């Protein structure tokens, strides 16, 4: 990709230099030559900067794919509003909470220049309905992923309708599927407690050649509790990453040296999110086994493996992290009863972060 940019620059320089010289051969005056030079230079400069916004033009200019104008996803991540999406602050988080209705927990994006420029907004039911109208959303993973699905359905359908299906959605360890007819949105929750289950799901999607528009996944708690081996977790994450990359239409543009995935030509974009593990309040966990195995040290090494697997955008991978660890940690012990599953406010914030990321990625927002 870098090579493409360099070649493009050289090409532009040659045109600026040689076209007016050739024209001079046609007896143009020096002033006219200068004028042509400047005009060409400006045209090319503008063209180069606009090209990423006109994929069809760049496809036309570079049929051989030598030039890939879009920056890699990882650099997009660091430059863009995506990296400030998690700047949130809770309020109403009180220590003693005897009466549920006293505990009116809420959250806001921190008011800073960066956040203001990004124009983050909490999407209401109607906004979210517009955004997800006609789409297929797959949420796969453990209980944290299930809580994300709950938050999404609560926003889209309202809490009353949600109450009616809550029982089905919370049948332990089961899949759940619903078609929200009003907006033609299909949501599949796939119970996938281990990373290997997520890989299986990805392979199944690939076999069926049928891909969702949005895919939200995450697993780790079961692995930590039952396997308790971070390096094996890391291995399974790498297998998942490799399979996701072959699923993506952009995989052919993967440049292992830059560690990034470049944007594809005209293919539909699959939006991928990773539901991170929550902060575990070890002393609050409800079994001895959990308290023994799910320690801070173990959490750290699982997190470390996640980084090293390069599954996430921050590390050049394909998935955008919904940082439940951060979001749950700042809500604190007042927001959890069992040290592992947090109040709705945490997953509600994560959901809005996800929806705003979708807005950014579908170019309906400042980058
Ligand atoms: C909690 O507060 C609400 C409204 O303030 C009240 O109606 C309800 O009885 C209270 N419940 C308990 C268990 O105190
Ligand atoms: C809860 O807090 C939000 C924002 O702080 C406020 O708008 C709302 O009225 C509160 N609800 C209750 C029941 O106190
Ligand atoms: C969803 O999209 C369809 C067609 O694009 C439109 O007719 C319908 O009104 C939309 N529904 C909502 C709730 O936005
Ligand atoms: C998930 O993977 C585990 C271990 O490979 C397997 O035992 C289990 O049946 C799988 N669960 C689902 C729901 O596929
Ligand atoms: C974790 O798994 C790796 C690879 O399978 C193995 O070499 C290592 O001994 C295991 N560690 C523990 C503590 O079981
Ligand atoms: C993982 O990466 C993130 C961001 O790059 C960093 O903030 C975090 O400390 C890393 N975690 C570990 C355990 O290295």
């Amino acid at each position: 990709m870098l090579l493409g940019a360099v070649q493009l620059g050289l090409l532009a320089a040659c045109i600026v230099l040689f076209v007016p010289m050739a024209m001079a051969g046609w007896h143009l005056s020096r002033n006219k030559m200068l004028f042509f030079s400047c005009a060409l230079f400006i045209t090319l400069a503008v063209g180069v900067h606009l090209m990423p916004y006109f994929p069809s033009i760049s496809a036309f200019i570079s049929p051989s794919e030598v030039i890939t104008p879009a920056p890699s996803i990882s650099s997009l991540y660091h430059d863009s509003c995506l990296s400030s999406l998690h700047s949130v602050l809770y309020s109403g988080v009180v220590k003693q909470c005897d009466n549920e209705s006293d505990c009116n927990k809420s959250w806001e994006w921190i008011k800073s220049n960066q956040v203001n420029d990004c124009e983050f907004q909490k999407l209401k039911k109607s906004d979210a309905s517009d955004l997800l109208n006609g789409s297929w959303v797959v949420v796969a993973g453990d209980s944290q992923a299930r809580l994300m699905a709950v938050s999404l359905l609560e926003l889209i359908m309202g809490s009353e309708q949600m109450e009616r299906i809550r029982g089905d959605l919370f049948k332990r360890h089961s899949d759940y599927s619903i078609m929200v007819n009003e907006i033609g949105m299909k949501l599949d929750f796939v119970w996938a407690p281990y990373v290997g289950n997520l890989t299986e799901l990805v392979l199944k999607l690939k076999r069926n050649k049928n891909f969702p528009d949005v895919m939200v996944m995450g697993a780790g708690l079961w692995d930590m509790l039952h396997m308790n081996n971070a390096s094996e977790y890391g291995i399974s994450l790498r297998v998942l990453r490799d399979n996701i990359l072959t699923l993506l239409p952009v995989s052919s543009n993967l440049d292992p040296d830059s560690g990034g995935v470049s944007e594809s030509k005209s293919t539909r974009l699959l939006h991928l999110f990773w539901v991170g593990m929550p902060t575990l309040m070890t002393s609050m966990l409800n079994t001895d086994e959990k308290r023994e195995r799910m320690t801070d040290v173990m959490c750290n090494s699982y997190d470390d493996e996640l980084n090293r697997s390069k599954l996430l955008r921050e590390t050049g991978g394909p998935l955008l992290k919904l940082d439940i660890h951060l979001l749950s940690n700042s809500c604190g012990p007042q927001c959890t009863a069992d040290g592992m599953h947090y109040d709705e406010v945490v997953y509600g914030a994560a959901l809005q972060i996800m929806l705003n990321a979708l807005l950014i990625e579908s170019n309906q927002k400042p980058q």
Side-chain angles (χ1 to χ4, degrees):
M1 194 166 78
L2 195 61
L3 198 65
V6 171
Q7 284 171 342
L8 188 65
L10 282 177
L11 179 71
C14 287
I15 293 176
V16 168
L17 191 64
F18 291 123
V19 169
M21 273 172 75
M23 287 182 148
W26 295 348
H27 313 292
L28 287 180
S29 72
R30 202 177 61 183
N31 278 350
K32 276 188 186 153
M33 214 176 106
L34 265 176
F35 171 78
F36 272 112
S37 267
C38 285
L40 263 169
F41 179 78
I42 291 170
T43 311
L44 283 167
V46 170
V48 166
H49 283 100
L50 285 183
M51 213 163 65
Y53 302 104
F54 295 102
S56 55
I57 296 180
S58 50
F60 173 71
I61 293 178
S62 60
S64 63
E65 294 184 37
V66 179
I67 302 161
T68 328
S72 76
I73 285 183
S74 52
S75 70
L76 263 180
Y77 174 83
H78 288 293
D79 297 343
S80 75
C81 289
L82 292 178
S83 58
S84 6
L85 271 169
H86 283 86
S87 312
V88 308
L89 203 66
Y90 294 95
S91 56
V93 177
V94 289
K95 272 226 166 55
Q96 278 298 310
C97 188
D98 301 324
N99 188 334
E100 270 307 314
S101 64
D102 291 341
C103 312
N104 184 14
K105 301 188 178 83
S106 65
W107 65 277
E108 295 295 333
W109 274 289
I110 292 167
K111 294 202 173 25
S112 68
N113 289 339
Q114 165 89 31
V115 167
N116 284 345
D117 291 347
C118 291
E119 296 173 20
F120 299 142
Q121 51 181 314
K122 285 191 193 175
L123 274 71
K124 299 194 183 65
K125 178 180 174 171
S126 58
D127 307 322
S129 301
D130 283 346
L131 181 63
L132 295 173
N133 190 349
S135 36
W136 177 24
V137 179
V138 170
V139 182
D142 55 21
S143 52
Q144 302 294 314
R146 197 191 295 268
L147 288 164
M148 286 301 296
V150 170
S151 271
L152 176 59
L153 288 176
E154 207 147 53
L155 179 65
I156 297 281
M157 308 199 310
S159 40
E160 227 170 85
Q161 241 184 310
M162 182 60 210
E163 278 318 307
R164 257 179 272 151
I165 63 163
R166 190 179 280 270
D168 291 332
L169 185 53
F170 270 95
K171 273 198 192 111
R172 267 173 77 80
H173 310 168
S174 63
D175 295 352
Y176 180 77
S177 189
I178 184 169
M179 181 81 197
V180 184
N181 283 320
E182 279 169 67
I183 59 165
M185 183 193 87
K186 182 165 189 267
L187 181 132
D188 284 314
F189 173 76
V190 181
W191 173 244
Y194 293 104
V195 173
N197 303 130
L198 295 173
T199 303
E200 272 170 40
L201 173 65
V202 166
L203 289 171
K204 190 175 141 200
L205 293 171
K206 196 155 74 176
R207 268 199 308 276
N208 297 344
K209 294 197 170 58
N210 194 10
F211 306 117
D213 303 287
V214 181
M215 197 161 167
V216 186
M217 56 183 126
L221 293 172
W222 280 59
D223 198 290
M224 195 187 295
L225 181 60
H226 299 293
M227 305 296 162
N228 208 237
N229 184 323
S231 56
E232 285 196 351
Y233 180 66
I235 292 169
S236 63
L237 288 172
R238 277 182 274 272
V239 173
L240 175 64
R241 175 186 192 262
D242 291 346
N243 279 289
I244 289 174
L245 288 177
T246 66
L247 177 107
L248 291 178
V250 296
S251 62
S252 61
N253 281 344
L254 180 70
D255 176 358
D257 295 332
S258 77
V261 186
S262 49
E263 211 103 334
S264 74
K265 298 130 275 175
S266 58
T267 32
R268 195 174 58 132
L269 215 57
L270 169 61
H271 300 281
L272 295 163
F273 296 92
W274 180 256
V275 184
M277 274 196 270
T279 297
L280 296 172
M281 306 281 170
T282 307
S283 63
M284 293 172 80
L285 297 174
N286 53 17
T287 67
D288 286 339
E289 199 189 13
K290 283 182 187 165
R291 281 191 294 272
E292 215 167 274
R293 300 189 136 197
M294 306 178 102
T295 58
D296 286 347
V297 174
M298 200 39 98
C299 285
N300 248 324
S301 41
Y302 268 63
D303 201 30
D304 199 30
E305 288 294 338
L306 182 60
N307 276 0
R308 296 204 297 177
S309 72
K310 299 197 164 59
L311 182 67
L312 305 178
R313 296 267 192 99
E314 299 152 273
T315 49
L319 274 66
L320 189 68
K321 176 155 90 166
L322 301 172
D323 198 338
I324 305 295
H325 184 87
L326 182 83
L327 294 171
S328 57
N329 193 49
S330 44
C331 207
Q334 297 93 314
C335 301
T336 176
D338 63 3
M340 183 186 286
H341 304 96
Y342 282 77
D343 292 349
E344 198 274 331
V345 66
V346 169
Y347 305 97
L351 174 68
Q352 291 290 345
I353 287 169
M354 181 183 111
L355 295 174
N356 275 266
L358 283 173
L359 279 177
I360 291 170
E361 292 192 330
S362 50
N363 291 320
Q364 298 177 38
K365 279 234 163 161
Q367 302 264 319

